[in-house]
Amino acid sequence: MLDLLAPLNGEPQILPARKLAGRVAGLYVAPADHFETVTTEMLRLGFEGIEGDIHAGYTRRSGGREPWYPRGTEMRNERQLSIVAPDELDIVAARMGLAEIRPEWIGANLLLAGVPHLSMLPSGTMLFFKGGVTLKVDAQNGPCRIAGRQIAERAEMPDIEAGSLLFPKAAKRLRGLVAWVEKPGTIASGEEVSARVPEQWIYGA
């Protein structure tokens, strides 16, 4: 029987779509003047993102992550929410010699438990929340020195500069995801989430 997912003559490998279950383990919102978040029991989301959050907006200004644009170019805001996983934060903390890294320290909006290898979910993954909200994953959130410095200061590391430099290395591919709002509404703490991973193509040409 022909395996329609098997690569033929060097064609890209295709992985089937799948569903995963998760749970909201924490919710956080950032004030308008700083990326560090504070705990909340509920997130109210519009098409522009989280109401009142520093990263809300239909558009944003480009930065170091977009070297193909002059810095400050107005572009679509695909980074409305930052999503992290408790198990991945524990790994990063251990690599940095810390007892913990709290989601708030690195500006997370959503702590999502139960989804294995959260940071490796591909672009296009849909997160369906039981209360009706839908988020769409844009990409991994690359770790940076700014978040590293915040961790070093909050954890009272003896060498703040060394801590800020260590985080990007320790958190590589473990920093979580950025996503944007496809269907607005309200997310509550403890809510169930269905992650729908799309069919993936391993493009090797």
Side-chain angles (χ1 to χ4, degrees), residues 8-198:
L8 299 174
N9 301 322
E11 291 295 313
Q13 180 184 0
I14 300 175
L15 301 179
R18 59 184 301 195
K19 293 182 182 179
L20 304 168
R23 177 182 58 84
V24 176
L27 295 170
Y28 315 88
V29 63
D33 60 347
H34 199 273
F35 80 93
E36 185 176 5
T37 49
V38 294
T39 303
T40 183
E41 288 299 310
M42 188 174 294
L43 289 182
R44 292 180 174 85
L45 302 164
F47 285 115
E48 74 281 7
I50 302 169
E51 292 182 7
D53 189 87
I54 192 173
H55 291 112
Y58 296 105
T59 64
R60 66 179 180 89
R61 299 292 178 176
S62 65
R65 292 184 175 90
E66 298 84 28
W68 42 87
Y69 296 133
R71 188 178 288 267
T73 299
E74 188 175 20
M75 57 179 288
R76 181 177 296 279
N77 184 12
E78 79 295 346
R79 300 176 61 86
Q80 293 176 341
L81 289 94
S82 169
I83 307 170
V84 297
D87 57 331
E88 294 182 339
L89 290 181
D90 288 344
I91 293 171
V92 178
R95 289 179 176 178
M96 296 182 68
L98 303 175
E100 65 173 351
I101 293 177
R102 302 179 70 171
E104 302 97 310
W105 295 350
I106 57 175
N109 300 117
L110 174 62
L111 185 67
L112 188 58
V115 178
H117 307 294
L118 177 79
S119 293
M120 301 303 289
L121 290 180
S123 299
T125 295
M126 309 284 285
L127 301 176
F128 293 90
F129 293 77
K130 191 172 183 179
V133 168
T134 304
L135 303 180
K136 195 163 191 176
V137 171
D138 178 72
Q140 279 190 5
N141 194 4
C144 67
R145 292 176 59 182
I146 296 174
R149 177 171 291 275
Q150 188 75 5
I151 291 170
E153 291 177 353
R154 289 300 187 187
E156 299 182 345
M157 297 180 72
D159 189 331
I160 301 298
E161 187 61 27
S164 67
L165 292 172
L166 178 58
F167 176 66
K169 299 176 182 177
K172 187 174 183 179
R173 300 192 179 93
L174 292 170
R175 172 66 171 87
L177 307 163
V178 289
W180 49 274
V181 179
E182 178 161 284
K183 183 173 177 289
T186 302
I187 298 176
S189 183
E191 194 169 319
E192 296 176 1
V193 184
S194 173
R196 301 188 187 182
V197 182

